[in-house]
Coordinates of all heavy atoms in Angstrom, one line a residue:
M14 N 7.7 41.1 23.0 CA 7.6 39.9 23.4 C 6.2 39.2 22.9 O 6.2 38.0 22.6 CB 7.6 39.7 24.8 CG 7.9 38.4 25.4 SD 9.4 37.8 24.9 CE 9.8 36.5 26.0
N15 N 5.2 40.0 22.9 CA 3.9 39.4 22.5 C 3.9 39.0 21.0 O 3.2 38.0 20.6 CB 2.7 40.4 22.8 CG 2.4 40.4 24.4 OD1 2.7 39.4 25.0 ND2 1.9 41.6 24.7
I16 N 4.7 39.7 20.2 CA 4.7 39.3 18.9 C 5.4 38.1 18.7 O 5.0 37.2 17.7 CB 5.4 40.5 18.1 CG1 4.7 41.8 18.1 CG2 5.7 40.0 16.7 CD1 5.4 43.0 17.5
I17 N 6.4 37.8 19.4 CA 7.2 36.6 19.3 C 6.2 35.4 19.8 O 6.3 34.3 19.0 CB 8.4 36.6 20.2 CG1 9.4 37.6 19.5 CG2 9.2 35.2 20.3 CD1 10.7 37.8 20.4
K18 N 5.4 35.6 20.9 CA 4.6 34.6 21.3 C 3.6 34.2 20.3 O 3.2 33.0 20.1 CB 4.0 34.9 22.7 CG 5.0 34.9 23.8 CD 4.2 35.2 25.1 CE 5.2 35.1 26.3 NZ 4.5 35.5 27.5
G19 N 3.0 35.4 19.7 CA 2.0 35.2 18.6 C 2.6 34.5 17.3 O 1.8 33.6 16.8
A20 N 3.8 34.7 17.0 CA 4.3 34.1 15.8 C 4.6 32.6 16.2 O 4.4 31.8 15.3 CB 5.6 34.7 15.5
L21 N 5.0 32.3 17.4 CA 5.3 31.0 17.9 C 4.0 30.2 17.9 O 4.0 29.0 17.2 CB 6.0 31.0 19.2 CG 6.4 29.6 19.7 CD1 7.4 29.0 18.7 CD2 6.9 29.7 21.1
L22 N 3.0 30.7 18.4 CA 1.7 30.1 18.4 C 1.2 29.8 17.1 O 0.6 28.7 16.7 CB 0.7 31.0 19.3 CG -0.7 30.4 19.5 CD1 -0.6 29.1 20.1 CD2 -1.6 31.4 20.1
L23 N 1.3 30.8 16.1 CA 0.8 30.7 14.8 C 1.6 29.5 14.0 O 0.9 28.6 13.4 CB 0.9 31.9 14.0 CG 0.5 31.9 12.4 CD1 -0.9 31.5 12.5 CD2 0.9 33.2 11.8
S24 N 2.9 29.4 14.2 CA 3.6 28.4 13.5 C 3.4 27.1 14.2 O 3.3 26.0 13.5 CB 5.2 28.7 13.6 OG 5.6 28.8 14.9
L25 N 3.1 27.0 15.3 CA 2.8 25.8 16.1 C 1.5 25.3 15.5 O 1.2 24.0 15.2 CB 2.7 25.9 17.6 CG 2.3 24.7 18.3 CD1 3.4 23.6 18.2 CD2 2.2 25.1 19.8
S26 N 0.4 26.1 15.4 CA -0.9 25.7 15.0 C -0.8 25.2 13.5 O -1.5 24.3 13.2 CB -1.9 26.8 15.1 OG -1.5 27.9 14.5
V27 N -0.1 26.0 12.7 CA 0.1 25.5 11.3 C 0.9 24.1 11.2 O 0.4 23.2 10.4 CB 0.8 26.6 10.4 CG1 1.3 26.0 9.1 CG2 0.2 27.9 10.3
G28 N 1.8 23.9 12.1 CA 2.6 22.5 12.1 C 1.5 21.5 12.5 O 1.6 20.4 11.9
V29 N 0.8 21.7 13.5 CA -0.2 20.8 14.0 C -1.4 20.5 12.9 O -1.7 19.4 12.6 CB -0.8 21.1 15.3 CG1 -2.0 20.2 15.7 CG2 0.3 21.2 16.4
A30 N -1.7 21.4 12.3 CA -2.7 21.3 11.2 C -2.2 20.4 10.0 O -2.9 19.8 9.4 CB -3.1 22.6 10.6
A31 N -0.9 20.5 9.7 CA -0.3 19.6 8.7 C -0.2 18.1 9.2 O 0.0 17.4 8.2 CB 1.1 20.1 8.5
C32 N -0.6 17.8 10.3 CA -0.5 16.4 10.8 C -2.0 15.8 10.5 O -2.2 14.7 11.3 CB -0.2 16.3 12.1 SG 1.6 16.8 12.5
T33 N -2.8 16.2 9.8 CA -4.1 15.7 9.6 C -4.0 14.2 8.9 O -3.1 14.1 8.2 CB -5.1 16.6 8.8 OG1 -4.5 16.8 7.5 CG2 -5.3 17.9 9.5
D34 N -5.0 13.5 9.2 CA -5.0 12.1 8.6 C -5.8 12.1 7.3 O -7.0 12.0 7.5 CB -5.5 11.2 9.6 CG -5.4 9.7 9.2 OD1 -4.7 9.4 8.2 OD2 -6.1 8.8 9.8
N35 N -5.1 12.1 6.1 CA -5.9 12.4 5.0 C -6.0 11.0 4.3 O -6.6 10.9 3.2 CB -5.2 13.3 4.0 CG -3.8 13.0 3.7 OD1 -3.2 12.0 4.3 ND2 -3.0 13.9 3.1
K36 N -5.5 9.9 4.9 CA -5.7 8.5 4.3 C -5.4 8.3 2.9 O -6.2 7.9 2.1 CB -7.1 8.0 4.7 CG -7.5 8.1 6.1 CD -8.4 7.0 6.5 CE -8.9 7.1 7.9 NZ -8.1 6.9 8.9
V37 N -4.1 8.6 2.5 CA -3.8 8.5 1.1 C -3.2 7.1 1.0 O -2.4 6.6 1.8 CB -2.6 9.4 0.8 CG1 -2.0 9.2 -0.5 CG2 -3.2 10.9 1.0
D38 N -3.5 6.5 -0.1 CA -2.9 5.0 -0.4 C -1.6 5.1 -0.8 O -1.2 5.6 -1.9 CB -3.9 4.3 -1.6 CG -3.4 3.0 -1.8 OD1 -2.5 2.5 -1.1 OD2 -4.1 2.4 -2.8
K39 N -0.7 4.8 0.1 CA 0.8 4.8 -0.3 C 1.4 3.6 -0.9 O 2.4 3.5 -1.2 CB 1.5 5.0 1.1 CG 1.1 6.3 1.8 CD 1.9 6.7 3.0 CE 1.4 7.9 3.5 NZ 2.1 8.3 4.8
T40 N 0.5 2.7 -1.5 CA 0.9 1.6 -2.2 C 1.0 2.0 -3.7 O 1.3 1.1 -4.5 CB 0.1 0.3 -2.0 OG1 -1.2 0.6 -2.3 CG2 0.1 0.0 -0.5
I41 N 0.6 3.2 -4.0 CA 0.5 3.5 -5.5 C 1.5 4.6 -5.8 O 1.6 5.6 -5.0 CB -1.0 3.9 -5.8 CG1 -2.0 2.9 -5.8 CG2 -1.0 4.5 -7.2 CD1 -3.3 3.2 -5.9
D42 N 2.1 4.4 -6.9 CA 3.2 5.4 -7.4 C 2.4 6.5 -8.2 O 1.7 6.2 -9.0 CB 4.1 4.8 -8.3 CG 5.1 5.7 -8.9 OD1 5.3 6.8 -8.5 OD2 5.7 5.2 -10.0
R43 N 2.5 7.8 -7.6 CA 1.6 8.9 -8.4 C 2.6 9.7 -9.2 O 2.3 10.9 -9.5 CB 1.1 9.7 -7.3 CG -0.1 8.9 -6.7 CD -0.9 9.7 -5.5 NE -2.0 9.1 -5.1 CZ -2.1 8.1 -4.4 NH1 -1.0 7.4 -4.0 NH2 -3.2 7.6 -4.0
G44 N 3.8 9.2 -9.5 CA 4.7 9.8 -10.4 C 4.4 10.0 -11.8 O 3.2 9.9 -12.2
F45 N 5.4 10.1 -12.7 CA 5.3 10.3 -14.0 C 4.6 9.0 -14.8 O 3.9 9.1 -15.8 CB 6.6 10.6 -14.7 CG 7.1 11.9 -14.3 CD1 8.0 12.2 -13.5 CD2 6.6 13.0 -15.1 CE1 8.4 13.4 -13.2 CE2 6.9 14.3 -14.7 CZ 8.0 14.5 -13.7
D46 N 5.0 7.8 -14.3 CA 4.4 6.7 -14.8 C 3.6 5.8 -13.8 O 4.0 4.6 -13.4 CB 5.5 5.8 -15.5 CG 6.7 5.4 -14.5 OD1 6.6 6.0 -13.3 OD2 7.4 4.5 -14.8
S47 N 2.6 6.4 -13.3 CA 1.8 5.9 -12.2 C 1.4 4.5 -12.3 O 1.0 4.0 -13.4 CB 0.5 6.8 -12.0 OG 1.0 8.0 -11.7
K48 N 1.7 3.7 -11.2 CA 1.2 2.2 -11.3 C 1.3 1.8 -9.8 O 1.9 2.5 -8.9 CB 2.2 1.5 -12.1 CG 3.6 1.4 -11.8 CD 4.4 0.6 -12.6 CE 5.0 1.6 -13.7 NZ 5.9 0.9 -14.6
H49 N 0.8 0.6 -9.5 CA 0.8 0.1 -8.2 C 2.4 -0.4 -8.0 O 3.0 -0.8 -8.9 CB -0.1 -1.1 -8.0 CG -0.3 -1.6 -6.6 ND1 0.5 -2.4 -6.1 CD2 -1.1 -1.3 -5.7 CE1 0.2 -2.6 -4.9 NE2 -0.8 -2.0 -4.7
L50 N 2.8 -0.3 -6.8 CA 4.2 -0.5 -6.6 C 4.6 -2.1 -6.7 O 5.7 -2.3 -6.9 CB 4.6 -0.2 -5.0 CG 4.6 1.4 -4.7 CD1 5.0 1.7 -3.3 CD2 5.5 2.2 -5.6
S51 N 3.6 -2.8 -6.6 CA 3.8 -4.2 -6.9 C 4.2 -4.5 -8.2 O 4.8 -5.7 -8.7 CB 2.6 -5.2 -6.6 OG 1.6 -4.8 -7.4
Q52 N 4.0 -3.6 -9.3 CA 4.5 -3.7 -10.7 C 6.0 -3.3 -10.9 O 6.4 -3.5 -11.9 CB 3.5 -3.0 -11.5 CG 2.1 -3.5 -11.6 CD 1.2 -2.6 -12.3 OE1 1.3 -1.4 -12.3 NE2 0.4 -3.3 -13.0
L53 N 6.6 -2.6 -9.8 CA 8.1 -2.4 -10.0 C 8.8 -3.4 -9.4 O 8.4 -4.4 -8.6 CB 8.2 -1.1 -9.0 CG 7.4 0.2 -9.6 CD1 7.7 1.3 -8.7 CD2 7.9 0.6 -11.1
T54 N 10.1 -3.5 -9.7 CA 11.0 -4.7 -9.3 C 11.9 -4.0 -8.2 O 12.6 -3.1 -8.3 CB 11.9 -5.0 -10.5 OG1 11.1 -5.3 -11.5 CG2 12.8 -6.2 -10.2
A55 N 11.9 -4.9 -7.2 CA 12.8 -4.4 -6.0 C 14.1 -5.1 -6.0 O 14.2 -6.3 -6.6 CB 12.0 -5.0 -4.7
G56 N 15.0 -4.4 -5.5 CA 16.3 -5.1 -5.2 C 16.5 -5.0 -3.6 O 15.6 -4.7 -2.9
I57 N 17.8 -5.3 -3.2 CA 18.1 -5.3 -1.9 C 19.4 -4.5 -1.6 O 20.3 -4.4 -2.3 CB 18.3 -6.8 -1.4 CG1 17.2 -7.7 -1.5 CG2 19.0 -6.8 0.0 CD1 17.4 -9.1 -1.2
W58 N 19.1 -3.6 -0.5 CA 20.1 -2.7 -0.1 C 20.6 -3.2 1.4 O 19.7 -3.5 2.1 CB 19.8 -1.2 0.0 CG 20.8 -0.4 0.8 CD1 22.0 0.0 0.3 CD2 20.7 0.2 2.0 NE1 22.7 0.7 1.2 CE2 21.9 0.9 2.3 CE3 19.7 0.1 3.1 CZ2 22.2 1.5 3.5 CZ3 20.0 0.8 4.2 CH2 21.1 1.5 4.4
V59 N 21.9 -3.4 1.6 CA 22.4 -3.9 2.9 C 22.9 -2.7 3.7 O 23.7 -2.0 3.3 CB 23.3 -5.0 2.7 CG1 23.9 -5.5 3.9 CG2 22.9 -6.1 1.7
D60 N 22.3 -2.6 4.8 CA 22.7 -1.5 5.8 C 24.0 -1.7 6.3 O 24.5 -3.0 6.3 CB 21.5 -1.2 6.8 CG 21.3 -2.3 7.8 OD1 22.2 -3.2 8.0 OD2 20.3 -2.3 8.4
P61 N 24.6 -0.8 7.1 CA 25.9 -1.1 7.8 C 25.8 -2.2 8.8 O 27.0 -2.6 9.1 CB 26.1 0.2 8.5 CG 25.4 1.3 7.6 CD 24.1 0.6 7.2
N62 N 24.7 -2.6 9.3 CA 24.7 -3.7 10.2 C 24.6 -5.0 9.6 O 24.5 -6.2 10.1 CB 23.4 -3.6 11.2 CG 23.7 -2.3 12.1 OD1 24.8 -2.0 12.5 ND2 22.6 -1.7 12.3
G63 N 24.4 -5.0 8.2 CA 24.3 -6.2 7.4 C 22.9 -6.8 7.1 O 22.8 -7.8 6.8
C64 N 21.9 -6.0 7.5 CA 20.6 -6.3 7.3 C 20.0 -5.8 6.1 O 20.3 -4.8 5.5 CB 19.8 -5.9 8.6 SG 20.2 -6.8 10.1
D65 N 19.0 -6.6 5.5 CA 18.4 -6.3 4.1 C 17.2 -5.3 4.2 O 16.6 -5.2 5.2 CB 18.0 -7.5 3.6 CG 18.9 -8.6 3.3 OD1 20.2 -8.4 3.6 OD2 18.6 -9.8 3.0
H66 N 17.1 -4.5 3.2 CA 16.2 -3.5 3.0 C 15.6 -3.6 1.6 O 16.5 -3.7 0.6 CB 16.5 -2.0 3.2 CG 17.0 -1.9 4.7 ND1 16.1 -1.4 5.6 CD2 18.2 -2.2 5.1 CE1 16.7 -1.3 6.9 NE2 18.1 -1.8 6.5
W67 N 14.3 -3.8 1.4 CA 13.9 -3.7 -0.1 C 14.0 -2.2 -0.6 O 13.7 -1.3 0.1 CB 12.2 -4.1 -0.2 CG 12.0 -5.4 0.3 CD1 11.3 -5.9 1.4 CD2 12.4 -6.6 -0.4 NE1 11.2 -7.2 1.4 CE2 12.0 -7.7 0.4 CE3 13.2 -7.0 -1.6 CZ2 12.1 -9.1 0.0 CZ3 13.4 -8.3 -1.9 CH2 12.8 -9.3 -1.1
I68 N 14.5 -2.1 -1.9 CA 14.8 -0.9 -2.4 C 14.1 -0.9 -3.8 O 14.3 -1.9 -4.6 CB 16.2 -0.5 -2.5 CG1 16.4 0.8 -3.1 CG2 17.1 -1.5 -3.2 CD1 17.8 1.5 -2.9
I69 N 13.5 0.2 -4.3 CA 13.0 0.4 -5.5 C 13.2 1.8 -6.0 O 13.1 2.7 -5.2 CB 11.4 0.1 -5.6 CG1 11.0 -1.2 -5.2 CG2 10.8 0.5 -7.0 CD1 9.6 -1.4 -5.1
D70 N 13.8 1.9 -7.3 CA 14.0 3.3 -7.8 C 13.3 3.4 -9.1 O 13.7 2.6 -10.1 CB 15.5 3.5 -7.9 CG 16.0 4.8 -8.4 OD1 15.1 5.7 -8.7 OD2 17.1 5.1 -8.6
D71 N 12.4 4.3 -9.3 CA 11.7 4.4 -10.5 C 12.1 5.5 -11.4 O 11.5 6.0 -12.2 CB 10.1 4.4 -10.4 CG 9.5 5.7 -9.7 OD1 10.3 6.5 -9.3 OD2 8.4 5.8 -9.8
G72 N 13.3 6.1 -11.0 CA 13.7 7.2 -11.8 C 13.6 8.6 -11.3 O 14.4 9.4 -11.2
V73 N 12.3 8.8 -10.6 CA 12.1 10.0 -9.9 C 12.0 9.9 -8.3 O 12.6 10.6 -7.5 CB 10.9 10.7 -10.4 CG1 10.5 12.0 -9.6 CG2 11.0 11.1 -11.9
E74 N 11.2 8.8 -8.0 CA 11.0 8.5 -6.6 C 11.7 7.3 -6.3 O 12.0 6.4 -7.1 CB 9.6 8.4 -6.4 CG 8.7 9.6 -6.7 CD 7.2 9.3 -6.7 OE1 6.8 8.2 -7.3 OE2 6.5 10.1 -6.2
G75 N 12.1 7.0 -5.0 CA 12.7 6.0 -4.5 C 11.9 5.5 -3.3 O 11.3 6.1 -2.5
Y76 N 11.9 4.1 -3.1 CA 11.1 3.5 -2.0 C 12.0 2.6 -1.3 O 12.9 1.8 -1.8 CB 10.0 2.6 -2.5 CG 9.1 3.5 -3.4 CD1 9.2 3.6 -4.8 CD2 7.9 4.3 -2.9 CE1 8.4 4.5 -5.6 CE2 7.3 5.1 -3.6 CZ 7.4 5.2 -4.9 OH 6.6 5.9 -5.8
L77 N 12.0 2.5 0.0 CA 12.8 1.6 0.9 C 12.0 1.1 2.0 O 11.3 1.9 2.7 CB 14.0 2.5 1.4 CG 15.0 1.7 2.3 CD1 16.0 0.8 1.4 CD2 15.7 2.8 3.0
S78 N 12.1 -0.2 2.2 CA 11.5 -0.6 3.5 C 12.3 -1.9 4.0 O 12.9 -2.4 3.2 CB 10.0 -1.2 3.3 OG 10.0 -2.2 2.4
Q79 N 12.4 -2.0 5.4 CA 13.1 -3.1 6.0 C 12.5 -4.4 5.5 O 11.4 -4.7 5.5 CB 13.1 -2.9 7.4 CG 14.2 -3.8 8.1 CD 14.5 -3.4 9.4 OE1 13.6 -2.8 10.2 NE2 15.6 -3.9 10.1
R80 N 13.4 -5.3 5.3 CA 13.1 -6.7 4.9 C 12.9 -7.5 6.2 O 13.8 -7.5 7.0 CB 14.2 -7.3 4.1 CG 13.7 -8.7 3.4 CD 14.7 -9.3 2.5 NE 14.4 -10.6 2.1 CZ 15.2 -11.4 1.6 NH1 16.5 -11.0 1.5 NH2 14.9 -12.6 1.4
L81 N 11.6 -7.9 6.5 CA 11.4 -8.6 7.7 C 10.9 -10.1 7.5 O 10.3 -10.4 6.4 CB 10.2 -8.0 8.5 CG 10.4 -6.4 8.7 CD1 9.2 -5.8 9.3 CD2 11.7 -6.2 9.6
D82 N 11.3 -11.1 8.5 CA 10.8 -12.4 8.4 C 9.3 -12.4 8.8 O 8.7 -11.5 9.2 CB 11.7 -13.4 9.1 CG 11.7 -13.1 10.5 OD1 10.9 -12.4 11.2 OD2 12.5 -13.8 11.4
K83 N 8.8 -13.6 8.8 CA 7.3 -13.7 9.2 C 7.1 -13.4 10.6 O 5.8 -13.2 11.0 CB 6.8 -15.1 8.9 CG 7.4 -16.3 9.6 CD 6.7 -17.6 9.1 CE 7.4 -18.8 9.9 NZ 6.8 -20.1 9.5
Y84 N 8.1 -13.3 11.5 CA 8.0 -12.9 12.9 C 8.1 -11.4 13.2 O 8.1 -11.0 14.4 CB 8.8 -13.7 13.8 CG 8.6 -15.2 13.6 CD1 9.4 -16.0 12.9 CD2 7.4 -15.8 14.1 CE1 9.2 -17.3 12.7 CE2 7.1 -17.2 13.9 CZ 8.0 -18.0 13.3 OH 7.8 -19.2 13.1
G85 N 8.6 -10.6 12.1 CA 8.8 -9.3 12.2 C 10.3 -8.9 12.6 O 10.5 -7.8 12.9
K86 N 11.2 -9.9 12.5 CA 12.5 -9.7 12.7 C 13.2 -9.3 11.5 O 13.0 -9.9 10.4 CB 13.2 -10.8 13.4 CG 12.6 -11.1 14.7 CD 13.3 -12.2 15.4 CE 12.6 -12.5 16.9 NZ 13.2 -13.7 17.6
P87 N 14.3 -8.5 11.5 CA 15.1 -8.2 10.3 C 15.7 -9.4 9.8 O 16.1 -10.3 10.4 CB 16.2 -7.2 10.9 CG 15.6 -6.7 12.1 CD 14.8 -7.8 12.7
V88 N 15.8 -9.3 8.4 CA 16.5 -10.4 7.6 C 17.9 -9.8 7.4 O 18.1 -8.8 6.8 CB 15.8 -10.8 6.3 CG1 16.4 -11.7 5.5 CG2 14.3 -11.3 6.7
C89 N 18.9 -10.7 7.7 CA 20.3 -10.3 7.5 C 20.9 -11.4 6.7 O 21.5 -12.4 7.3 CB 21.0 -10.0 8.8 SG 20.3 -8.8 9.8
S90 N 20.8 -11.4 5.3 CA 21.2 -12.5 4.4 C 22.5 -12.5 3.9 O 22.9 -13.5 3.2 CB 20.1 -12.6 3.4 OG 20.3 -11.6 2.4
N91 N 23.3 -11.5 4.2 CA 24.6 -11.3 3.4 C 24.4 -11.4 1.9 O 25.2 -11.9 1.3 CB 25.6 -12.4 3.8 CG 25.9 -12.4 5.5 OD1 26.0 -11.1 5.9 ND2 25.8 -13.3 6.1
A92 N 23.3 -10.8 1.3 CA 23.2 -10.8 -0.2 C 24.2 -9.9 -0.8 O 24.4 -10.0 -2.0 CB 21.8 -10.2 -0.4
A93 N 24.7 -9.0 0.0 CA 25.7 -8.1 -0.6 C 26.5 -7.5 0.6 O 26.1 -7.6 1.7 CB 25.2 -6.9 -1.4
P94 N 27.7 -6.9 0.4 CA 28.4 -6.3 1.4 C 27.6 -5.0 2.0 O 26.8 -4.4 1.3 CB 29.7 -5.8 0.8 CG 29.7 -6.5 -0.5 CD 28.4 -6.8 -0.9
P95 N 27.9 -4.7 3.3 CA 27.3 -3.6 3.8 C 27.4 -2.3 3.0 O 28.4 -2.0 2.5 CB 27.9 -3.4 5.3 CG 28.3 -4.8 5.6 CD 28.7 -5.4 4.3
G96 N 26.3 -1.7 2.8 CA 26.3 -0.3 2.1 C 26.1 -0.4 0.8 O 26.1 0.6 -0.2
V97 N 25.9 -1.6 0.1 CA 25.8 -2.0 -1.3 C 24.2 -2.3 -1.7 O 23.7 -3.0 -0.8 CB 26.6 -3.1 -1.7 CG1 26.4 -3.6 -3.1 CG2 28.1 -2.7 -1.5
A98 N 23.7 -1.7 -2.7 CA 22.6 -2.1 -3.3 C 22.7 -3.1 -4.5 O 23.6 -3.0 -5.3 CB 21.7 -0.8 -3.8
T99 N 21.9 -4.3 -4.5 CA 22.1 -5.3 -5.4 C 20.7 -5.7 -5.9 O 19.7 -5.4 -5.3 CB 22.8 -6.6 -4.9 OG1 23.0 -7.4 -5.9 CG2 22.0 -7.1 -3.7
G100 N 20.6 -6.1 -7.3 CA 19.4 -6.6 -7.8 C 18.9 -5.5 -8.8 O 19.4 -4.5 -9.0
P101 N 17.8 -5.8 -9.5 CA 17.2 -4.9 -10.5 C 16.2 -3.8 -10.0 O 15.2 -3.6 -10.5 CB 16.6 -6.0 -11.5 CG 16.1 -7.0 -10.4 CD 17.1 -7.0 -9.3
F102 N 16.8 -3.1 -9.0 CA 16.0 -2.2 -8.4 C 15.5 -1.0 -9.2 O 14.7 -0.2 -8.8 CB 16.5 -1.7 -6.9 CG 17.9 -1.0 -7.0 CD1 17.8 0.3 -7.1 CD2 19.0 -1.8 -7.0 CE1 19.0 1.0 -7.1 CE2 20.3 -1.1 -7.0 CZ 20.2 0.3 -7.1
K103 N 16.3 -0.7 -10.3 CA 16.0 0.3 -11.2 C 15.1 -0.1 -12.4 O 15.0 0.7 -13.4 CB 17.2 1.0 -11.7 CG 18.0 1.8 -10.6 CD 19.2 2.5 -11.2 CE 19.8 3.3 -10.0 NZ 20.8 4.1 -10.5
K104 N 14.6 -1.3 -12.4 CA 13.8 -2.0 -13.4 C 12.3 -1.7 -13.1 O 11.9 -1.4 -11.9 CB 14.0 -3.4 -13.5 CG 15.4 -3.8 -13.9 CD 15.8 -3.5 -15.4 CE 17.2 -3.8 -15.6 NZ 17.9 -3.1 -16.6
G105 N 11.5 -1.8 -14.1 CA 10.1 -1.7 -13.8 C 9.5 -0.2 -14.1 O 8.3 -0.1 -14.1
S106 N 10.3 0.6 -14.7 CA 9.8 2.0 -15.0 C 10.5 2.4 -16.3 O 11.7 2.2 -16.4 CB 10.1 2.9 -13.9 OG 9.8 4.1 -14.2
A107 N 9.7 3.0 -17.0 CA 10.3 3.5 -18.4 C 10.9 4.7 -18.2 O 11.6 5.2 -19.1 CB 9.3 3.5 -19.5
F108 N 10.8 5.4 -17.2 CA 11.3 6.7 -16.8 C 12.8 6.6 -16.4 O 13.1 6.0 -15.3 CB 10.5 7.4 -15.7 CG 10.8 8.9 -15.7 CD1 10.2 9.7 -16.5 CD2 11.7 9.3 -14.7 CE1 10.4 11.2 -16.4 CE2 11.9 10.7 -14.6 CZ 11.5 11.6 -15.4
G109 N 13.7 7.1 -17.2 CA 15.1 6.9 -16.9 C 15.8 7.7 -15.6 O 15.1 8.7 -15.3
D110 N 16.5 7.1 -15.0 CA 17.2 7.8 -13.8 C 18.4 8.6 -14.3 O 19.3 8.1 -15.0 CB 17.8 6.7 -12.9 CG 18.1 7.2 -11.5 OD1 18.3 8.5 -11.4 OD2 18.1 6.4 -10.6
Q111 N 18.4 9.9 -14.0 CA 19.4 10.7 -14.6 C 20.7 10.6 -13.8 O 21.8 11.1 -14.1 CB 19.0 12.2 -14.4 CG 17.7 12.4 -15.4 CD 17.8 12.0 -16.8 OE1 18.9 12.3 -17.5 NE2 16.9 11.4 -17.3
I112 N 20.8 9.9 -12.7 CA 22.0 9.7 -11.8 C 22.8 8.6 -12.2 O 22.3 7.4 -12.4 CB 21.7 9.8 -10.3 CG1 21.0 11.1 -10.0 CG2 22.9 9.7 -9.5 CD1 20.5 11.2 -8.6

């Protein structure tokens, strides 16, 4: 029983250690063609509720964030049917998407 408790305590301490705040700038793409995310072209993906999300696909990594108005409320513009991504969200990267 002590071995199980020790293993549980060790895994818990490793898990908590992984939560350190390393302050990485998440606005920069660190992939094959690294650049600031503002240089990529976003499209819109519409969720099942009809609300918009900004979507960027640079071939290897993908980025998604909810589209909000100036008051922080979701934008639901009917830009596309629910579950559909529209716009040039795969542009802005020379790295091709294999899918």
Side-chain angles (χ1 to χ4, degrees):
M14 190 66 167
N15 286 335
I16 294 174
I17 294 172
K18 286 182 182 178
L21 183 62
L22 182 62
L23 178 63
S24 64
L25 180 64
S26 63
V27 169
V29 170
C32 295
T33 60
D34 186 18
N35 53 7
K36 303 218 188 287
V37 175
D38 183 3
K39 294 182 181 175
T40 64
I41 297 175
D42 175 16
R43 289 180 171 73
F45 290 99
D46 59 346
S47 301
K48 62 183 96 173
H49 194 273
L50 293 182
S51 65
Q52 295 176 323
L53 297 172
T54 307
I57 295 175
W58 172 71
V59 181
D60 68 19
N62 296 322
C64 295
D65 301 352
H66 299 262
W67 295 114
I68 182 172
I69 297 173
D70 180 2
D71 76 349
V73 175
E74 300 167 316
Y76 306 93
L77 178 80
S78 66
Q79 191 169 17
R80 189 174 172 202
L81 304 173
D82 67 10
K83 63 181 180 179
Y84 302 107
K86 294 182 180 178
V88 173
C89 304
S90 68
N91 296 318
V97 173
T99 185
F102 62 93
K103 291 188 177 189
K104 302 287 187 210
S106 176
F108 193 81
D110 193 348
Q111 302 302 317
I112 298 177

